């Protein structure tokens, strides 16, 4: 909504500039098209979902802000752009692990294995993420008393 209101305000400013400077209608049309293209370029460069996630984390009660409690479901719903913020939040939350973020990161890393997943925005997200922590795997077979055994089959 803010972007749309800004475009409308820019249009009004350009109309007033046209009247004050005595420019032609062609100048006004060119200026409106240029401002629209610059807005589209800015929206492609700026990761709005990441900005929303950073803002919500900064003002949340858990991080010392005065806002509402941190809504992890909403942050996970923002998609991979929120992953660096969710990792930052996981360090400060008592649980220390955000389950929806783990699933989101797993899907994101799998998507990065395919060629359509390699976008500039995804590469920035991947660079901002901490390296994945390996899960401890116990490959030995254990019986019911939790004693290590030989493999149960030959």
């Amino acid at each position: 909504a803010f972007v749309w209101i800004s475009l409308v305000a820019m249009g009004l400013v350009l109309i007033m500039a046209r009247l004050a400077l005595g420019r032609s209608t062609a100048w006004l049309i060119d200026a409106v098209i240029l401002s629209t293209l610059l807005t589209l370029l800015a929206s492609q460069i700026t990761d709005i979902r990441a900005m929303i996630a950073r803002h919500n984390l900064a003002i949340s009660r858990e991080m010392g802000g005065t806002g509402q409690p941190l809504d992890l479901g909403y942050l996970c719903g923002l998609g991979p752009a929120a992953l660096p913020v969710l990792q930052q939040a996981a360090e400060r939350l008592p649980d220390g692990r955000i389950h929806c973020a783990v699933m989101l990161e797993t899907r994101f890393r799998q998507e990065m294995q395919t060629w359509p997943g390699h976008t500039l925005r995804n590469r920035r997200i991947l660079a901002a993420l901490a390296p994945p922590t390996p899960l401890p795997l116990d490959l030995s077979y254990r019986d019911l008393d939790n004693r290590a055994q030989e493999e149960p089959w030959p």
Side-chain angles (χ1 to χ4, degrees):
F2 177 74
V3 174
W4 177 250
I5 291 172
S6 299
L7 272 174
V8 171
M10 179 59 79
L12 292 174
V13 168
L14 288 173
I15 290 171
M16 289 189 294
R18 176 189 175 259
L19 293 174
L21 299 174
R23 300 288 181 149
S24 67
T25 307
W27 177 88
L28 177 63
I29 292 171
D30 290 343
V32 168
I33 289 172
L34 180 65
S35 65
T36 304
L37 289 175
L38 289 175
T39 303
L40 285 173
L41 178 66
S43 69
Q44 290 300 310
I45 292 172
T46 306
D47 196 352
I48 296 172
R49 291 180 178 189
M51 288 174 44
I52 292 170
R54 281 193 300 271
H55 175 73
N56 285 348
L57 182 67
I59 66 168
S60 69
R61 248 186 248 156
E62 290 83 357
M63 302 301 144
T66 59
Q68 298 291 321
L70 191 60
D71 187 357
L72 295 175
Y74 175 73
L75 286 179
C76 286
L78 290 174
L83 280 172
V85 173
L86 288 168
Q87 280 186 346
Q88 190 179 17
E91 296 170 0
R92 295 185 180 180
L93 292 176
D95 183 4
R97 196 171 174 105
I98 301 172
H99 299 290
C100 66
V102 173
M103 292 177 9
L104 188 62
E105 183 176 354
T106 303
R107 273 192 245 131
F108 174 69
R109 290 188 186 275
Q110 288 172 349
E111 180 185 336
M112 286 297 291
Q113 299 298 320
T114 64
W115 70 267
H118 288 281
T119 62
L120 179 60
R121 185 170 288 170
N122 283 351
R123 286 180 186 259
R124 281 192 212 151
I125 293 169
L126 191 62
L129 287 178
T133 55
L135 297 174
L137 295 177
D138 185 9
L139 299 177
S140 64
Y141 172 74
R142 298 195 175 270
D143 65 6
L144 294 176
D145 296 324
N146 205 19
R147 293 179 295 193
Q149 300 289 318
E150 296 295 322
E151 288 190 31
W153 45 81

